[in-house]
Amino acid sequence: MFAPHLLVVPTGTSVQFPNEDPFFHNVFSLFNGKRFDLGLYESGTTRSVRFDREGVSYIFCNIHPEMGAVILAISTPYYGVSAKNGVVSIRNVPPGGYRLSVWSENGEPVDQTAGEQVIQVLSEPVNLGNITLQTTADALARHENKFGQDYKPSHDLHY
């Protein structure tokens, strides 16, 4: 498994993908955030990728279809990840105008204008109220391998 499942990084950050398992991995992403293929690498080794452009990258292993994660590369230090109760707080934002974008792995805003809006931050806290999301397809649940094909059955391999 990838840990953490969701990682938010500033654009330009290098992310390491260590292989701490007793078998090979082949980490890849074919999404527009950052396309890459780390090739086959063995236990005890690490590969890294520089996320040099803003965007969403769904990360998979070409050997293990159950492995999946998301990396968001963003060009702002002002972001928040929701708590289990859905509340998001973004602290220490200086006064000014900002573009608020809402992203969810398995959801999208019911009201698109609420999910993409310009807000004014003053010296006191700003409460934007509720932004309701509707469920969308899970991009990690069913995906193809790096060749655009279904994964071959594992024949119940036990590690």
Side-chain angles (χ1 to χ4, degrees), residues 58-107:
Y58 292 92
I59 313 297
F60 302 108
C61 176
N62 201 51
I63 299 171
H64 305 97
E66 67 277 9
M67 290 178 64
V70 181
I71 296 180
L72 287 169
I74 59 175
S75 59
T76 179
Y78 308 116
Y79 69 91
V81 177
S82 67
K84 288 186 181 198
N85 65 1
V87 173
V88 177
S89 295
I90 305 172
R91 306 211 182 280
N92 302 318
V93 178
Y98 297 90
R99 181 177 51 93
L100 172 73
S101 298
V102 174
W103 180 87
S104 171
E105 181 178 343
N106 297 318

Short mmCIF file of all heavy atoms in Angstrom, two decimals, residues 58-107:
data_model
loop_
_atom_site.label_atom_id
_atom_site.label_comp_id
_atom_site.label_asym_id
_atom_site.label_seq_id
_atom_site.Cartn_x
_atom_site.Cartn_y
_atom_site.Cartn_z
N TYR A 58 -3.07 10.15 -10.01
CA TYR A 58 -3.48 8.89 -9.40
C TYR A 58 -2.30 7.94 -9.58
O TYR A 58 -1.80 7.76 -10.69
CB TYR A 58 -4.73 8.36 -10.08
CG TYR A 58 -5.94 9.21 -9.81
CD1 TYR A 58 -6.30 10.23 -10.67
CD2 TYR A 58 -6.72 8.99 -8.67
CE1 TYR A 58 -7.40 11.03 -10.41
CE2 TYR A 58 -7.83 9.80 -8.41
CZ TYR A 58 -8.16 10.80 -9.28
OH TYR A 58 -9.25 11.59 -9.03
N ILE A 59 -1.87 7.35 -8.47
CA ILE A 59 -0.66 6.53 -8.45
C ILE A 59 -1.05 5.06 -8.29
O ILE A 59 -1.88 4.72 -7.44
CB ILE A 59 0.25 6.93 -7.26
CG1 ILE A 59 0.43 8.46 -7.19
CG2 ILE A 59 1.57 6.20 -7.31
CD1 ILE A 59 1.10 9.09 -8.35
N PHE A 60 -0.44 4.19 -9.11
CA PHE A 60 -0.73 2.76 -9.06
C PHE A 60 0.57 1.96 -9.12
O PHE A 60 1.63 2.49 -9.41
CB PHE A 60 -1.60 2.35 -10.26
CG PHE A 60 -2.90 3.10 -10.34
CD1 PHE A 60 -3.10 4.07 -11.31
CD2 PHE A 60 -3.93 2.84 -9.45
CE1 PHE A 60 -4.30 4.76 -11.40
CE2 PHE A 60 -5.13 3.53 -9.52
CZ PHE A 60 -5.32 4.48 -10.50
N CYS A 61 0.44 0.65 -8.90
CA CYS A 61 1.53 -0.30 -9.09
C CYS A 61 1.12 -1.22 -10.23
O CYS A 61 0.01 -1.77 -10.21
CB CYS A 61 1.81 -1.10 -7.82
SG CYS A 61 3.08 -2.37 -8.04
N ASN A 62 1.99 -1.42 -11.19
CA ASN A 62 1.66 -2.26 -12.34
C ASN A 62 1.60 -3.75 -11.99
O ASN A 62 1.10 -4.54 -12.77
CB ASN A 62 2.66 -2.04 -13.48
CG ASN A 62 2.09 -2.46 -14.81
OD1 ASN A 62 0.99 -2.05 -15.17
ND2 ASN A 62 2.81 -3.30 -15.52
N ILE A 63 2.08 -4.12 -10.82
CA ILE A 63 2.07 -5.51 -10.39
C ILE A 63 0.91 -5.79 -9.45
O ILE A 63 0.32 -6.86 -9.48
CB ILE A 63 3.40 -5.87 -9.69
CG1 ILE A 63 4.54 -5.69 -10.68
CG2 ILE A 63 3.37 -7.29 -9.14
CD1 ILE A 63 5.91 -5.80 -10.07
N HIS A 64 0.57 -4.81 -8.60
CA HIS A 64 -0.43 -5.00 -7.55
C HIS A 64 -1.62 -4.04 -7.78
O HIS A 64 -1.55 -2.87 -7.39
CB HIS A 64 0.20 -4.75 -6.18
CG HIS A 64 1.40 -5.60 -5.94
ND1 HIS A 64 2.68 -5.14 -6.15
CD2 HIS A 64 1.50 -6.89 -5.55
CE1 HIS A 64 3.53 -6.11 -5.88
NE2 HIS A 64 2.85 -7.18 -5.51
N PRO A 65 -2.71 -4.52 -8.38
CA PRO A 65 -3.84 -3.63 -8.70
C PRO A 65 -4.52 -3.03 -7.47
O PRO A 65 -5.19 -2.00 -7.59
CB PRO A 65 -4.81 -4.53 -9.47
CG PRO A 65 -4.42 -5.92 -9.11
CD PRO A 65 -2.96 -5.90 -8.79
N GLU A 66 -4.33 -3.61 -6.30
CA GLU A 66 -4.96 -3.08 -5.10
C GLU A 66 -4.22 -1.85 -4.55
O GLU A 66 -4.73 -1.17 -3.66
CB GLU A 66 -5.04 -4.17 -4.01
CG GLU A 66 -3.71 -4.62 -3.46
CD GLU A 66 -2.97 -5.67 -4.29
OE1 GLU A 66 -3.39 -5.98 -5.42
OE2 GLU A 66 -1.96 -6.18 -3.79
N MET A 67 -3.04 -1.57 -5.07
CA MET A 67 -2.29 -0.40 -4.61
C MET A 67 -2.75 0.85 -5.36
O MET A 67 -2.77 0.86 -6.59
CB MET A 67 -0.78 -0.60 -4.82
CG MET A 67 -0.17 -1.63 -3.91
SD MET A 67 1.59 -1.90 -4.22
CE MET A 67 2.28 -0.28 -3.82
N GLY A 68 -3.11 1.89 -4.61
CA GLY A 68 -3.51 3.14 -5.24
C GLY A 68 -3.39 4.29 -4.26
O GLY A 68 -3.57 4.12 -3.06
N ALA A 69 -3.05 5.45 -4.79
CA ALA A 69 -2.92 6.66 -3.98
C ALA A 69 -3.15 7.87 -4.88
O ALA A 69 -3.27 7.74 -6.09
CB ALA A 69 -1.54 6.73 -3.33
N VAL A 70 -3.20 9.04 -4.25
CA VAL A 70 -3.40 10.29 -4.98
C VAL A 70 -2.38 11.30 -4.49
O VAL A 70 -2.17 11.45 -3.28
CB VAL A 70 -4.82 10.86 -4.73
CG1 VAL A 70 -5.02 12.15 -5.51
CG2 VAL A 70 -5.89 9.84 -5.09
N ILE A 71 -1.75 11.99 -5.43
CA ILE A 71 -0.86 13.10 -5.10
C ILE A 71 -1.40 14.34 -5.79
O ILE A 71 -1.64 14.33 -7.00
CB ILE A 71 0.60 12.83 -5.51
CG1 ILE A 71 1.14 11.64 -4.71
CG2 ILE A 71 1.46 14.08 -5.31
CD1 ILE A 71 2.57 11.26 -5.03
N LEU A 72 -1.63 15.39 -4.99
CA LEU A 72 -2.05 16.68 -5.51
C LEU A 72 -0.86 17.63 -5.45
O LEU A 72 -0.36 17.91 -4.36
CB LEU A 72 -3.18 17.27 -4.66
CG LEU A 72 -4.54 16.64 -4.77
CD1 LEU A 72 -5.46 17.17 -3.66
CD2 LEU A 72 -5.14 16.93 -6.10
N ALA A 73 -0.41 18.08 -6.59
CA ALA A 73 0.65 19.09 -6.64
C ALA A 73 -0.04 20.44 -6.83
O ALA A 73 -0.81 20.61 -7.78
CB ALA A 73 1.63 18.80 -7.77
N ILE A 74 0.21 21.36 -5.92
CA ILE A 74 -0.46 22.66 -5.96
C ILE A 74 0.56 23.78 -5.87
O ILE A 74 1.66 23.60 -5.33
CB ILE A 74 -1.52 22.80 -4.85
CG1 ILE A 74 -0.90 22.64 -3.47
CG2 ILE A 74 -2.64 21.78 -5.06
CD1 ILE A 74 -1.86 22.89 -2.32
N SER A 75 0.18 24.95 -6.38
CA SER A 75 1.11 26.08 -6.42
C SER A 75 0.76 27.15 -5.39
O SER A 75 0.99 28.33 -5.63
CB SER A 75 1.15 26.67 -7.83
OG SER A 75 -0.14 27.09 -8.21
N THR A 76 0.21 26.72 -4.27
CA THR A 76 -0.11 27.65 -3.18
C THR A 76 0.19 26.98 -1.85
O THR A 76 0.03 25.77 -1.72
CB THR A 76 -1.58 28.09 -3.22
OG1 THR A 76 -1.84 28.98 -2.12
CG2 THR A 76 -2.52 26.92 -3.13
N PRO A 77 0.61 27.75 -0.86
CA PRO A 77 0.80 27.16 0.47
C PRO A 77 -0.51 27.12 1.27
O PRO A 77 -0.54 26.60 2.37
CB PRO A 77 1.80 28.11 1.13
CG PRO A 77 1.54 29.42 0.48
CD PRO A 77 1.14 29.11 -0.94
N TYR A 78 -1.58 27.64 0.69
CA TYR A 78 -2.86 27.74 1.41
C TYR A 78 -3.82 26.65 0.94
O TYR A 78 -4.42 26.76 -0.13
CB TYR A 78 -3.47 29.13 1.23
CG TYR A 78 -2.49 30.23 1.57
CD1 TYR A 78 -2.06 31.11 0.61
CD2 TYR A 78 -1.98 30.33 2.86
CE1 TYR A 78 -1.14 32.10 0.91
CE2 TYR A 78 -1.06 31.31 3.17
CZ TYR A 78 -0.64 32.19 2.20
OH TYR A 78 0.28 33.15 2.50
N TYR A 79 -3.92 25.61 1.73
CA TYR A 79 -4.83 24.51 1.41
C TYR A 79 -5.23 23.83 2.71
O TYR A 79 -4.61 24.01 3.76
CB TYR A 79 -4.19 23.51 0.45
CG TYR A 79 -3.06 22.72 1.06
CD1 TYR A 79 -3.30 21.50 1.69
CD2 TYR A 79 -1.76 23.19 1.03
CE1 TYR A 79 -2.27 20.77 2.27
CE2 TYR A 79 -0.73 22.48 1.60
CZ TYR A 79 -0.98 21.27 2.21
OH TYR A 79 0.04 20.57 2.78
N GLY A 80 -6.28 23.05 2.62
CA GLY A 80 -6.73 22.28 3.77
C GLY A 80 -7.20 20.91 3.32
O GLY A 80 -7.65 20.74 2.19
N VAL A 81 -7.04 19.95 4.21
CA VAL A 81 -7.55 18.59 3.98
C VAL A 81 -8.64 18.38 5.01
O VAL A 81 -8.46 18.67 6.19
CB VAL A 81 -6.43 17.54 4.14
CG1 VAL A 81 -6.98 16.13 3.98
CG2 VAL A 81 -5.31 17.80 3.11
N SER A 82 -9.78 17.89 4.55
CA SER A 82 -10.92 17.77 5.46
C SER A 82 -10.67 16.76 6.56
O SER A 82 -10.00 15.75 6.37
CB SER A 82 -12.19 17.39 4.69
OG SER A 82 -12.07 16.09 4.16
N ALA A 83 -11.23 17.07 7.71
CA ALA A 83 -11.23 16.14 8.84
C ALA A 83 -12.29 15.08 8.55
O ALA A 83 -13.06 15.19 7.59
CB ALA A 83 -11.55 16.89 10.13
N LYS A 84 -12.36 14.05 9.37
CA LYS A 84 -13.35 12.99 9.17
C LYS A 84 -14.78 13.52 9.16
O LYS A 84 -15.64 12.96 8.50
CB LYS A 84 -13.20 11.90 10.22
CG LYS A 84 -11.95 11.08 10.00
CD LYS A 84 -11.87 9.91 10.94
CE LYS A 84 -10.57 9.19 10.65
NZ LYS A 84 -10.53 7.85 11.17
N ASN A 85 -15.02 14.62 9.86
CA ASN A 85 -16.36 15.20 9.89
C ASN A 85 -16.63 16.13 8.70
O ASN A 85 -17.70 16.72 8.60
CB ASN A 85 -16.61 15.94 11.21
CG ASN A 85 -15.71 17.15 11.37
OD1 ASN A 85 -14.89 17.47 10.51
ND2 ASN A 85 -15.84 17.81 12.51
N GLY A 86 -15.66 16.27 7.81
CA GLY A 86 -15.84 17.08 6.61
C GLY A 86 -15.44 18.53 6.74
O GLY A 86 -15.47 19.28 5.77
N VAL A 87 -15.02 18.95 7.92
CA VAL A 87 -14.64 20.35 8.13
C VAL A 87 -13.22 20.59 7.60
O VAL A 87 -12.32 19.78 7.82
CB VAL A 87 -14.71 20.71 9.64
CG1 VAL A 87 -14.14 22.09 9.89
CG2 VAL A 87 -16.15 20.61 10.12
N VAL A 88 -13.08 21.70 6.90
CA VAL A 88 -11.77 22.09 6.37
C VAL A 88 -11.41 23.45 6.94
O VAL A 88 -12.21 24.38 6.90
CB VAL A 88 -11.80 22.19 4.82
CG1 VAL A 88 -10.46 22.68 4.29
CG2 VAL A 88 -12.18 20.86 4.20
N SER A 89 -10.20 23.56 7.47
CA SER A 89 -9.69 24.85 7.97
C SER A 89 -8.38 25.16 7.27
O SER A 89 -7.53 24.28 7.12
CB SER A 89 -9.44 24.79 9.47
OG SER A 89 -10.65 24.61 10.17
N ILE A 90 -8.25 26.39 6.82
CA ILE A 90 -7.00 26.86 6.22
C ILE A 90 -6.52 28.02 7.07
O ILE A 90 -7.17 29.06 7.14
CB ILE A 90 -7.21 27.29 4.75
CG1 ILE A 90 -7.83 26.15 3.95
CG2 ILE A 90 -5.88 27.73 4.14
CD1 ILE A 90 -8.25 26.53 2.55
N ARG A 91 -5.43 27.86 7.74
CA ARG A 91 -4.95 28.84 8.72
C ARG A 91 -3.86 29.75 8.14
O ARG A 91 -3.20 29.41 7.17
CB ARG A 91 -4.41 28.11 9.94
CG ARG A 91 -5.43 27.15 10.52
CD ARG A 91 -5.27 27.00 12.01
NE ARG A 91 -6.20 26.06 12.57
CZ ARG A 91 -7.47 26.30 12.86
NH1 ARG A 91 -7.96 27.49 12.62
NH2 ARG A 91 -8.24 25.38 13.38
N ASN A 92 -3.71 30.91 8.79
CA ASN A 92 -2.63 31.87 8.49
C ASN A 92 -2.65 32.38 7.05
O ASN A 92 -1.60 32.57 6.44
CB ASN A 92 -1.27 31.25 8.83
CG ASN A 92 -1.19 30.82 10.28
OD1 ASN A 92 -1.64 31.53 11.18
ND2 ASN A 92 -0.64 29.64 10.51
N VAL A 93 -3.85 32.61 6.53
CA VAL A 93 -3.99 33.17 5.19
C VAL A 93 -4.01 34.68 5.32
O VAL A 93 -4.87 35.23 6.00
CB VAL A 93 -5.28 32.67 4.51
CG1 VAL A 93 -5.43 33.31 3.12
CG2 VAL A 93 -5.30 31.15 4.42
N PRO A 94 -3.07 35.38 4.71
CA PRO A 94 -3.06 36.85 4.80
C PRO A 94 -4.27 37.45 4.10
O PRO A 94 -4.83 36.86 3.18
CB PRO A 94 -1.78 37.26 4.08
CG PRO A 94 -1.07 36.04 3.69
CD PRO A 94 -1.95 34.86 3.92
N PRO A 95 -4.70 38.65 4.53
CA PRO A 95 -5.82 39.32 3.85
C PRO A 95 -5.54 39.48 2.36
O PRO A 95 -4.41 39.69 1.93
CB PRO A 95 -5.88 40.68 4.55
CG PRO A 95 -5.28 40.44 5.90
CD PRO A 95 -4.18 39.43 5.66
N GLY A 96 -6.62 39.32 1.57
CA GLY A 96 -6.50 39.47 0.12
C GLY A 96 -7.56 38.66 -0.60
O GLY A 96 -8.41 38.03 0.02
N GLY A 97 -7.50 38.67 -1.92
CA GLY A 97 -8.42 37.91 -2.75
C GLY A 97 -7.79 36.60 -3.18
O GLY A 97 -6.62 36.57 -3.57
N TYR A 98 -8.56 35.52 -3.12
CA TYR A 98 -8.05 34.19 -3.44
C TYR A 98 -9.08 33.42 -4.24
O TYR A 98 -10.28 33.63 -4.11
CB TYR A 98 -7.74 33.40 -2.16
CG TYR A 98 -6.65 34.03 -1.32
CD1 TYR A 98 -6.96 34.97 -0.34
CD2 TYR A 98 -5.33 33.70 -1.54
CE1 TYR A 98 -5.97 35.55 0.42
CE2 TYR A 98 -4.32 34.28 -0.78
CZ TYR A 98 -4.65 35.20 0.20
OH TYR A 98 -3.66 35.78 0.94
N ARG A 99 -8.61 32.49 -5.06
CA ARG A 99 -9.48 31.57 -5.78
C ARG A 99 -9.57 30.29 -4.96
O ARG A 99 -8.56 29.63 -4.71
CB ARG A 99 -8.92 31.27 -7.17
CG ARG A 99 -9.82 30.32 -7.98
CD ARG A 99 -9.27 30.10 -9.40
NE ARG A 99 -7.88 29.71 -9.42
CZ ARG A 99 -7.45 28.45 -9.45
NH1 ARG A 99 -8.30 27.45 -9.43
NH2 ARG A 99 -6.16 28.20 -9.50
N LEU A 100 -10.76 29.94 -4.54
CA LEU A 100 -11.00 28.72 -3.79
C LEU A 100 -11.39 27.62 -4.77
O LEU A 100 -12.30 27.79 -5.57
CB LEU A 100 -12.13 28.91 -2.77
CG LEU A 100 -12.58 27.63 -2.06
CD1 LEU A 100 -11.53 27.19 -1.06
CD2 LEU A 100 -13.91 27.86 -1.39
N SER A 101 -10.69 26.49 -4.72
CA SER A 101 -11.02 25.32 -5.53
C SER A 101 -11.23 24.14 -4.60
O SER A 101 -10.41 23.90 -3.71
CB SER A 101 -9.88 24.98 -6.50
OG SER A 101 -9.67 26.03 -7.40
N VAL A 102 -12.32 23.42 -4.80
CA VAL A 102 -12.64 22.25 -4.00
C VAL A 102 -12.35 21.02 -4.84
O VAL A 102 -12.78 20.93 -6.00
CB VAL A 102 -14.12 22.26 -3.56
CG1 VAL A 102 -14.48 20.97 -2.84
CG2 VAL A 102 -14.39 23.47 -2.68
N TRP A 103 -11.62 20.06 -4.28
CA TRP A 103 -11.34 18.80 -4.96
C TRP A 103 -11.62 17.67 -4.00
O TRP A 103 -11.30 17.75 -2.81
CB TRP A 103 -9.87 18.73 -5.41
CG TRP A 103 -9.58 17.45 -6.12
CD1 TRP A 103 -9.74 17.19 -7.44
CD2 TRP A 103 -9.09 16.24 -5.53
NE1 TRP A 103 -9.38 15.89 -7.71
CE2 TRP A 103 -8.98 15.27 -6.55
CE3 TRP A 103 -8.74 15.87 -4.23
CZ2 TRP A 103 -8.54 13.99 -6.31
CZ3 TRP A 103 -8.31 14.58 -4.01
CH2 TRP A 103 -8.20 13.66 -5.04
N SER A 104 -12.22 16.61 -4.50
CA SER A 104 -12.49 15.42 -3.71
C SER A 104 -12.19 14.20 -4.57
O SER A 104 -12.51 14.18 -5.76
CB SER A 104 -13.95 15.38 -3.26
OG SER A 104 -14.25 14.13 -2.67
N GLU A 105 -11.61 13.20 -3.98
CA GLU A 105 -11.27 11.98 -4.71
C GLU A 105 -12.51 11.28 -5.25
O GLU A 105 -12.49 10.75 -6.36
CB GLU A 105 -10.50 11.04 -3.77
CG GLU A 105 -10.08 9.75 -4.42
CD GLU A 105 -9.28 8.87 -3.49
OE1 GLU A 105 -8.77 9.35 -2.46
OE2 GLU A 105 -9.16 7.68 -3.80
N ASN A 106 -13.58 11.28 -4.49
CA ASN A 106 -14.79 10.57 -4.89
C ASN A 106 -16.03 11.46 -4.85
O ASN A 106 -17.12 10.99 -4.52
CB ASN A 106 -15.02 9.35 -4.00
CG ASN A 106 -13.89 8.35 -4.12
OD1 ASN A 106 -13.42 8.08 -5.21
ND2 ASN A 106 -13.45 7.82 -3.00
N GLY A 107 -15.86 12.73 -5.15
CA GLY A 107 -17.00 13.62 -5.12
C GLY A 107 -16.75 14.89 -5.90
O GLY A 107 -15.61 15.23 -6.21
#
